[in-house]
Amino acid sequence: MTELGLEIALLGAALAVGLAGIGSAIGVGIVGQSAAGLVTEDPDKFGQTLLLQALPGTQGIYGLLAGFIIMQQVGIIGGAPLNLTIAQGYAFFMAALPIAIVGLVSGIYQGRVSASAVGLVAKRPEELGKGIVYAVMVETYAVLALLASIMILFGIDLG
Amino acid sequence: MPSDDTIYAYAVGRTRALEKRLLEKSQIERMIEASSAEDVIKVLSESDYANALADLTDIYDFEKVLQSELQKSLELIKSISPKPELIALMALRYDVHNLKVIFKAKYLGIKSDLIVPAGTIAAPRLQSAVDEEDFRDLPDRLRKACEMITEGFPVSRDPQLIDINLDQALFEQLLHDAKRLNNAYMEGLFSRQVDLINLKTLVRVKRMGLDREFLKKALISGGFLAHDRLTVFIDEPLESLITGLSMSQYSELAAEGIRDWIDKGTASRLEKLADDYITGYLKKGKWSPFGVEPLIGYLWAKEIEIKNIRLLMVGKINKLPSEAIRERIRDVYI
């Protein structure tokens, strides 16, 4: 008899990819609007603002990475799907939560910081680096969440 | 979750680029030191005004250039703002100005070409509204004020009726709309403007020796300073007004501006300080990354810049000394 473990694990993968992706999409979207406003008046700022726009995109990548590891471990990719117990399924689900939740929120906030940095670049293009540093401070917490997710994932006992 | 304020992301990004093209202190300084009006134009030709000035054949036509620049800025900001109705409030003042001009032309036969194009309603439409006494296009409070003027003026023939009624209605409308649109920042702006106008009215009324009844009629409501707090000063020397305001947010402005008015008999210093005060208030919202504040601030900055250019041009044409011009030049926003 098959248990529901596999489905629960996949729900975790879906959340990691989905929520972190939403965070990045919103974040990148906000910066894009702000950058388009600046570039309307000053087309030379395209390169600098593109860099700022890319920053909140990483959360989506982290989410995909976590989701990918789950899919691999449960055998969805590269092998036969495992028959997981419900407890094992929940372990994968829990592992997905840090990057899913933090990815969503930090993506949005990183977008807001980056959009503010677009204003900074408008006034002082030579200070782009400082704008990036502010945005990267938000990145820290997405990285920590990814780290937590991965540590849990590799600690799950599949025996 | 994304909060609603990010709807301003594009507009603020674009405003940041526009802000950079405002005249800087050093450019203003060069114009103050310029030896003639032509030299002022020369400095302006190296700025964002270059295109507009290229068509200028007679320097006495500079006012037209300034008016069209102001109108362009208002229209641009309105077009990029997700809530153009908030920006339109910044232009309502020009409708009231035009209405005053048109009413005075009609009733007092004062001919003037002072119509400004920056209002929310085109001047010819205002003209026909006054001619036909049909004010349906105007916002509620302005419409009522215009109706009061058309009914009251033929009876009283008092030109003050036009100014007082329209000014009163303008700020009632502005404060009402700012509240309706839930914008505390703009409410704060209009309330401060009311206070500053009331202070100037009080000093002016006192200097003209008019009585308390007149002052009560002329004061505009909606400010932070209560009317009965102001009217008590009508029977006291102006110095006591300075002490009376020393605990308010207008203490510095009163101390310097009203003192100057007492000593020199001109309001020009107080006018400058009042504008600087508003600039100081609006600057507080300048760095808001998502919100209407930078847009409003930019429009105000443009108005001040145009005022400064006008002061410079008029000063240079009339050969005023640089010092006299510098005293009146408003602080820049950037």
Side-chain angles (χ1 to χ4, degrees):
Chain A
M1 183 196 141
T2 52
E3 292 190 73
L4 277 173
L6 181 66
E7 283 76 3
I8 296 168
L10 289 179
L11 179 60
L15 285 180
V17 179
L19 290 182
I22 291 173
S24 278
I26 294 174
V28 171
I30 297 171
V31 193
Q33 291 179 53
S34 198
L38 172 57
V39 170
T40 309
E41 298 294 334
D42 190 353
D44 295 342
K45 299 269 161 54
F46 176 70
Q48 287 174 312
T49 52
L50 190 64
L51 198 58
L52 288 169
Q53 194 192 7
L55 293 177
T58 48
Q59 280 81 351
I61 299 173
Y62 299 160
L64 181 66
L65 180 64
F68 195 75
I69 295 173
I70 295 173
M71 287 184 253
Q72 210 173 23
Q73 290 203 344
V74 301
I76 285 286
I77 316 174
L82 299 179
N83 190 8
L84 298 179
T85 65
I86 288 188
Q88 284 170 329
Y90 270 118
F92 281 106
F93 182 81
M94 303 294 177
L97 288 184
I99 190 57
I101 297 168
V102 179
L104 171 65
V105 178
S106 73
I108 296 170
Y109 277 91
Q110 198 171 26
R112 292 176 71 97
V113 179
S114 288
S116 307
V118 168
L120 188 156
V121 166
K123 285 272 157 61
R124 301 178 188 280
E126 70 280 6
E127 302 293 3
L128 170 67
K130 291 178 184 160
I132 292 176
V133 170
Y134 287 136
V136 168
M137 297 301 279
V138 185
E139 187 79 20
T140 317
Y141 303 96
V143 174
L144 295 181
L146 177 65
L147 187 66
S149 286
I150 288 178
M151 288 197 306
I152 301 172
L153 280 176
F154 287 126
I156 295 174
D157 181 13
L158 286 174
Chain B
M1 282 287 112
S3 56
D4 189 35
D5 60 353
T6 56
I7 52 172
Y8 280 100
Y10 173 85
V12 173
R14 194 154 170 190
T15 305
R16 295 281 177 243
L18 294 171
E19 272 172 13
K20 232 194 139 193
R21 297 193 200 145
L22 289 166
L23 293 176
E24 282 167 27
K25 240 185 195 141
S26 60
Q27 286 169 299
I28 303 265
E29 193 53 37
R30 269 171 69 207
M31 290 192 276
I32 295 174
E33 297 297 338
S35 56
S36 66
E38 283 82 0
D39 285 351
V40 172
I41 298 282
K42 218 174 273 169
V43 177
L44 285 178
S45 301
E46 296 159 15
S47 72
D48 203 34
Y49 290 88
N51 280 336
L53 287 169
D55 306 330
L56 187 73
T57 44
D58 182 351
I59 61 162
Y60 292 95
D61 284 341
F62 73 90
E63 187 61 37
K64 271 192 206 129
V65 174
L66 297 185
Q67 292 295 351
S68 85
E69 284 295 300
L70 181 63
Q71 190 190 5
K72 265 195 256 168
S73 297
L74 268 163
E75 275 166 14
L76 173 63
I77 297 295
K78 218 196 280 182
S79 71
I80 62 174
S81 171
K83 289 188 184 158
E85 63 272 26
L86 270 177
I87 307 300
L89 295 186
M90 293 297 279
L92 199 61
R93 195 150 42 88
Y94 300 107
D95 289 327
V96 166
H97 169 89
N98 289 343
L99 278 171
K100 286 184 194 169
V101 172
I102 295 169
F103 269 122
K104 284 177 185 166
K106 181 179 177 185
Y107 288 131
L108 305 164
I110 303 170
K111 276 272 160 240
S112 91
D113 51 357
L114 290 173
I115 291 283
V116 294
T120 58
I121 301 175
R125 263 177 72 202
L126 283 180
Q127 179 74 52
S128 63
V130 173
D131 289 342
E132 291 157 23
E133 302 193 354
D134 173 5
F135 304 105
R136 263 179 299 183
D137 292 346
L138 293 173
D140 244 5
R141 284 158 187 80
L142 287 183
R143 179 174 53 78
K144 276 190 201 125
C146 289
E147 284 165 359
M148 255 166 80
I149 293 167
T150 44
E151 280 163 30
F153 190 85
V155 185
S156 71
R157 306 217 52 84
D158 178 9
Q160 303 272 8
L161 188 76
I162 300 174
D163 286 327
I164 293 177
N165 267 314
L166 280 173
D167 284 336
Q168 193 81 259
L170 167 66
F171 281 99
E172 273 173 29
Q173 188 72 48
L174 289 176
L175 283 160
H176 171 82
D177 286 347
K179 202 169 273 167
R180 183 172 55 85
L181 296 165
N182 230 335
N183 195 301
Y185 179 73
M186 290 185 84
E187 258 184 84
L189 166 67
F190 298 138
S191 287
R192 283 170 176 83
Q193 284 181 319
V194 168
D195 280 342
L196 295 170
I197 292 173
N198 283 344
L199 280 180
K200 283 182 251 177
T201 306
L202 171 60
V203 181
R204 209 163 274 143
V205 165
K206 271 186 74 68
R207 291 186 67 93
M208 294 196 315
L210 295 166
D211 62 359
R212 187 186 292 250
E213 280 319 299
F214 182 85
L215 177 65
K216 271 189 184 161
K217 260 197 294 176
L219 289 178
I220 300 174
S221 23
F224 297 120
L225 300 172
H227 285 186
D228 23 341
R229 234 185 108 189
L230 289 171
T231 44
V232 292
F233 291 106
I234 193 84
D235 301 320
E236 291 180 43
L238 273 174
E239 279 78 4
S240 67
L241 176 60
I242 299 177
T243 5
L245 288 172
S246 62
M247 296 302 281
S248 75
Q249 53 180 325
Y250 308 110
S251 59
E252 279 174 47
L253 166 142
E256 199 185 332
I258 297 177
R259 165 71 41 211
D260 205 72
W261 201 342
I262 299 170
D263 295 345
K264 296 190 188 148
T266 128
S268 61
R269 186 80 190 155
L270 184 61
E271 304 261 4
K272 171 203 150 53
L273 292 171
D275 279 345
D276 290 350
Y277 184 85
I278 296 293
T279 306
Y281 170 70
L282 291 179
K283 259 188 187 173
K284 287 181 199 152
K286 184 182 169 192
W287 288 112
S288 152
F290 311 100
V292 75
E293 291 87 349
L295 277 63
I296 300 296
Y298 172 76
L299 280 179
W300 175 262
K302 195 76 191 174
E303 271 179 48
I304 290 295
E305 178 173 294
I306 282 169
K307 217 178 242 185
N308 277 341
I309 296 174
R310 185 178 298 128
L311 278 169
L312 282 159
M313 288 300 289
V314 172
K316 293 298 172 190
I317 288 171
N318 291 307
K319 308 221 175 325
L320 286 182
S322 296
E323 265 326 296
I325 297 176
R326 183 174 288 117
E327 258 177 34
R328 291 170 200 206
I329 290 290
R330 272 64 171 164
D331 291 350
V332 294
Y333 170 79
I334 43 171

